[in-house]
Amino acid sequence: TAILCAIGISLGNWQTRRAEEKEAIAALMQEQLRRAPVVLSTAQEFSQLQAFQKVKLRGQFVRDWPLYLDNRPLYGVAGFYVLMPFKIDGSKQSVLVARGWLQRNPVERTKIPTLLTDQGIIEIEGVVRDQLDRTMQLGKSEILKPASIVQSVPFDDLRKQTGLAIVDKVLEQTSNASDGLIRDWPKPSAGSDKHRAYAFQWYGLALMAAIFFVVTGIRRGKNRK
């Protein structure tokens, strides 16, 4: 009983902390999104920003290095996140931009439709992320190649393969573009209610174990009498 109570309480506390973390992220997001976008001129400035800050960058996409991040469903439909380095104007550094969501071909998974990309110097707006949301991956990461479908994008590998000075943050693009991509990004703060429910279940297990111990103890005492 003591072991069950300890397990239930500790796991309940863990789930409660997870809920509080996501609620803190939600509060941070709301605070950052209320602010005006920060206009940046260098990747060094970008790397120093906090997560979920809104920014504007001026530069151009490295059009020959698109990557398609797999296993990213949207509205129940299978698809990819389109990633592409963005070279900041007047700087030698680049930022990895999550441009948007693209539906996967239901018949031929590896067939990618033509990707429309603006040419020349443009200005984009987006939200800073420390990293992209991760999915489960089996085996080793594949070697990054242009236009490849990948499960993850390690920054060290990306810098090595592209030869670009890419900072260790991601920009989720929110500004409109005529490229057919959907920019309905998932909210990383979602799910606090789920953790609260799990915590309630674990606390309930600890309580039931304690009640069972008390009830069975009383019954045994009566039987002995």
Side-chain angles (χ1 to χ4, degrees):
T1 300
I3 292 173
L4 283 176
C5 288
I7 291 174
I9 292 172
S10 62
L11 290 176
N13 290 341
W14 174 64
Q15 290 291 349
T16 298
R17 289 193 297 270
R18 292 285 292 138
E20 291 172 348
E21 288 174 3
K22 292 200 171 184
E23 289 166 356
I25 290 175
L28 176 61
M29 285 181 61
Q30 293 301 319
E31 180 184 353
Q32 298 289 6
L33 293 176
R34 282 193 294 266
R35 300 179 180 179
V38 179
V39 180
L40 301 181
S41 59
T42 67
Q44 182 64 29
E45 293 175 317
F46 180 85
S47 65
Q48 295 174 353
L49 294 178
Q50 293 182 338
F52 311 115
Q53 279 192 266
K54 294 192 298 185
V55 298
K56 285 184 179 180
L57 292 177
R58 181 174 175 80
Q60 63 183 109
F61 283 112
V62 183
R63 301 175 68 226
D64 57 349
W65 257 102
L67 295 171
Y68 300 93
L69 196 60
D70 202 1
N71 298 322
R72 305 291 164 162
L74 183 65
Y75 313 136
V77 180
F80 311 99
Y81 284 169
V82 179
L83 309 178
M84 186 175 287
F86 185 82
K87 189 174 182 180
I88 298 177
D89 187 31
S91 172
K92 295 182 179 181
Q93 293 183 310
S94 302
V95 172
L96 182 63
V97 176
R99 293 181 51 186
W101 181 85
L102 181 66
Q103 182 176 348
R104 191 174 73 188
N105 188 307
V107 178
E108 190 175 348
R109 172 182 172 276
T110 58
K111 185 178 181 180
I112 304 295
T114 301
L115 181 62
L116 302 177
T117 304
D118 291 318
Q119 299 185 27
I121 303 296
I122 61 172
E123 186 177 74
I124 61 173
E125 184 174 331
V127 176
V128 179
R129 293 292 304 275
D130 289 328
Q131 62 183 17
L132 292 167
D133 295 330
R134 297 180 180 179
T135 59
M136 182 178 294
Q137 177 176 328
L138 300 176
K140 296 182 179 179
S141 300
E142 60 271 41
I143 297 176
L144 297 178
K145 298 178 181 179
S148 59
I149 298 174
V150 297
Q151 300 294 326
S152 63
V153 184
F155 284 108
D156 289 339
D157 292 350
L158 185 60
R159 283 188 285 265
K160 179 180 179 181
Q161 297 300 325
T162 62
L164 299 172
I166 300 175
V167 297
D168 289 348
K169 287 184 185 290
V170 179
L171 180 71
E172 285 185 349
Q173 184 177 349
T174 56
S175 54
N176 293 325
S178 301
D179 52 16
L181 301 177
I182 298 176
R183 298 179 180 86
D184 186 6
W185 300 108
K187 302 296 186 293
S189 58
S192 62
D193 292 340
K194 177 184 67 176
H195 290 294
R196 295 285 185 188
Y198 288 155
F200 178 79
Q201 292 176 1
W202 286 116
Y203 290 141
L205 172 65
L207 179 61
M208 291 301 296
I211 292 174
F212 179 78
F213 175 77
V214 172
V215 171
T216 54
I218 292 174
R219 288 180 178 177
R220 288 175 182 173
K222 289 182 178 180
N223 291 335
R224 288 176 182 176
K225 290 181 180 179

